[in-house]
């Protein structure tokens, strides 16, 4: 396992350079927050921390939003990198299972089941999509694509497959109803559920205030 631990700095180095030109909704700071959140959850819930840390670092290694639109390419890219670093096969298998299954694929798509480490990394990734940081990331995402904040005429959709979720070009407020507000109830670990409560309330308060200001209803 010590040989496996030594891989972490090399993976981090590679991920920093891969994410260099990404916008703030999906930069290395996101990866680093997910790593910290995942290690915190693992401290409480258990799980193999080397697997958790490597999977957190690699969870967006070949994200469809930045690889030209190829869906489900994470496991291939993670294996390539880990093989280059001579990681043990059982570690590669554990990490690749996680990065393959981790993503949110639409409100109408059931999450794939897997190991405790998958649950931890998925919860960590989802915690970073909600609360104050989640709001900042959503508007960064919409801003980078020139999307309006809100349009009352266009309501939220339920996405029943990854392609439909991925190709949706709606306004940013819809994203709260299509993903962000749904994540709290899809958390799988008790610690993530606990952290999600406060972040959920913050988003609900934000939306209340947003609508007040949008409709210029001065109170
Ligand atoms: P991750 O890559 O971390 O699994 P996503 O790929 O779903 O998460 O999205 C990356 C970030 O961009 C998240 O903060 C997410 O909420 C945000 N995002 C994704 N799609 C949209 C959208 N249509 N509008 C606004 N924000 C979005
Ligand atoms: Ni992510």
């Amino acid at each position: 396992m010590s040989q496996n631990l030594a891989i972490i700095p090399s993976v981090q180095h590679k991920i920093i350079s891969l994410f260099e030109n990404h916008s703030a909704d999906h930069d290395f700071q996101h990866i680093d927050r997910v790593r910290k959140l995942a290690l915190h959850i693992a401290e409480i819930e258990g799980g193999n921390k080397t697997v958790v840390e490597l999977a957190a670092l690699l969870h967006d290694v070949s994200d469809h939003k930045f690889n030209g639109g190829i869906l489900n390419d994470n496991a291939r890219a993670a294996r390539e990198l880990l093989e280059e670093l001579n990681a043990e096969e059982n570690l590669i298998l554990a990490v690749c299972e996680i990065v393959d299954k981790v993503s949110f694929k639409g409100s109408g798509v059931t999450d794939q089941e897997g190991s405790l480490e998958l649950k931890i990394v998925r919860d960590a990734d989802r915690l970073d999509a909600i609360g104050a940081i989640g709001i900042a990331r959503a508007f960064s995402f919409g801003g980078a694509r020139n999307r309006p904040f809100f349009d009352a005429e266009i309501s939220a959709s339920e996405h029943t497959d990854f392609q439909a979720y991925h190709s949706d070009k709606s306004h940013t407020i819809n994203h709260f109803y299509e993903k962000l507000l749904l994540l709290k109830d899809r958390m799988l670990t008790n610690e993530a559920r606990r952290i999600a409560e406060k972040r959920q309330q913050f988003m609900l308060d934000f939306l209340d205030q947003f609508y007040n200001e949008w409709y210029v209803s001065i109170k």
Side-chain angles (χ1 to χ4, degrees):
M1 205 33 113
S2 60
Q3 176 213 343
N4 286 334
L5 261 179
I7 291 171
I8 292 174
S10 308
V11 171
Q12 169 170 325
H13 187 74
K14 176 79 183 172
I15 294 295
I16 288 174
S17 71
L18 267 178
F19 280 70
E20 214 163 38
N21 297 316
H22 286 201
S23 52
D25 51 273
H26 216 266
D27 58 4
F28 180 72
Q29 300 307 319
H30 161 62
I31 305 297
D32 199 37
R33 288 189 304 266
V34 172
R35 174 198 357 214
K36 288 176 183 149
L37 283 162
L39 287 173
H40 166 79
I41 298 169
E43 193 66 48
I44 292 167
E45 308 269 344
N48 178 315
K49 286 200 182 143
T50 307
V51 170
V52 164
E53 186 164 2
L54 280 171
L57 282 169
L58 289 165
H59 84 273
D60 283 330
V61 62
S62 182
D63 193 276
H64 61 91
K65 297 185 290 315
F66 300 93
N67 69 10
I70 314 168
L71 302 178
N72 307 318
D73 187 45
N74 263 343
R76 184 208 56 75
R79 170 169 284 281
E80 190 178 293
L81 206 160
L82 292 170
E83 280 181 354
E84 260 171 41
L85 297 169
N86 299 314
E88 287 169 12
E89 181 58 23
N90 61 351
L91 180 68
I92 299 180
L93 285 171
V95 171
C96 287
E97 189 215 346
I98 298 172
V99 303
D100 183 41
K101 294 180 175 174
V102 71
S103 277
F104 180 86
K105 296 187 169 70
S107 56
V109 182
T110 309
D111 294 324
Q112 287 174 275
E113 289 182 16
S115 61
L116 171 61
E117 290 82 2
L118 167 66
K119 292 179 185 150
I120 290 173
V121 176
R122 182 186 276 150
D123 281 0
D125 192 27
R126 292 177 176 186
L127 283 173
D128 202 56
I130 64 177
I133 291 281
I135 295 170
R137 291 181 73 207
F139 285 98
S140 166
F141 184 102
R145 290 159 184 77
N146 267 333
R147 297 195 184 156
F149 293 156
F150 178 52
D151 182 340
E153 301 293 310
I154 301 172
S155 50
S157 328
E158 182 180 64
H159 300 116
T160 51
D161 65 75
F162 196 14
Q163 188 61 46
Y165 169 68
H166 162 59
S167 54
D168 194 297
K169 295 189 169 45
S170 185
H171 58 85
T172 302
I173 289 293
N174 266 350
H175 188 62
F176 285 77
Y177 301 96
E178 291 168 353
K179 176 180 176 186
L180 308 188
L181 294 170
L182 310 176
L183 295 179
K184 178 179 77 75
D185 290 335
R186 288 168 76 149
M187 296 289 169
L188 296 167
T189 65
N190 287 333
E191 179 60 4
R193 236 175 261 132
R194 190 186 69 78
I195 300 170
E197 291 289 341
K198 189 169 170 193
R199 296 184 182 210
Q200 181 84 356
Q201 193 54 50
F202 190 87
M203 290 192 294
L204 293 171
D205 293 344
F206 168 80
L207 287 169
D208 261 2
Q209 182 71 11
F210 181 93
Y211 294 127
N212 282 339
E213 295 181 18
W214 183 267
Y215 293 109
V216 195
S217 75
I218 313 285
K219 286 189 178 152

